[in-house]
Amino acid sequence: MNVNSKEALEVLINNNQMVLVYFGSNTCNVCNAIESKVQELLKNYPKIKSSKIDVEKYLEISAAYNVFTIPVILVFIEGKEMLREARYISIQDVKNKLERYYNVLFE
């Protein structure tokens, strides 16, 4: 799900149990590679809502969430930031952490 305002992102985060927000840029090759891996990973967790924020288009949203480097993955559980991975992201680490949270919340 793409959001285009800080308010819309807050609604997404506050109205869902678990939300993954991916910050990146279409002009960043690393971001594009990681994004496709994140999308593939999320297929295993259907109850996680997700959104991508293009930092070049939505600087206000990026600043509001203290995103100053890309790529960044933020995971919110019940409205609180529980996971932040930035720059050198290990998809395996993200998977392990997501799985732990997911199992506690949904199983």
Side-chain angles (χ1 to χ4, degrees):
M1 165 186 239
N2 286 329
V3 295
N4 54 13
S5 71
K6 186 173 154 255
E7 293 75 21
L9 183 57
E10 288 171 1
V11 167
L12 177 70
I13 290 167
N14 292 323
N15 291 336
N16 293 283
Q17 268 191 297
M18 193 168 184
V19 178
L20 182 145
V21 183
Y22 179 81
F23 290 84
S25 166
N26 292 332
T27 60
C28 165
N29 290 333
V30 173
C31 299
N32 293 330
I34 294 287
E35 180 189 1
S36 63
K37 291 178 182 176
V38 169
Q39 292 304 321
E40 195 62 35
L41 177 65
L42 285 172
K43 290 178 183 176
N44 299 318
Y45 306 101
K47 294 181 181 176
I48 298 177
K49 302 296 182 199
S50 67
S51 180
K52 176 191 177 196
I53 307 295
D54 186 330
V55 297
E56 291 176 358
K57 286 185 187 172
Y58 302 110
L59 289 172
E60 178 191 337
I61 299 172
S62 303
Y65 288 90
N66 296 315
V67 172
F68 301 109
T69 185
I70 52 176
V72 173
I73 295 172
L74 300 182
V75 175
F76 295 87
I77 297 175
E78 297 175 349
K80 294 182 181 70
E81 183 182 318
M82 299 299 285
L83 175 64
R84 179 181 287 252
E85 296 288 330
R87 289 189 73 178
Y88 305 108
I89 297 172
S90 163
I91 292 297
Q92 187 60 48
D93 283 352
V94 172
K95 178 185 183 298
N96 293 341
K97 292 171 184 174
L98 275 183
E99 199 164 308
R100 250 182 281 143
Y101 289 130
Y102 194 85
N103 290 338
V104 168
L105 275 176
F106 301 113
E107 296 187 9

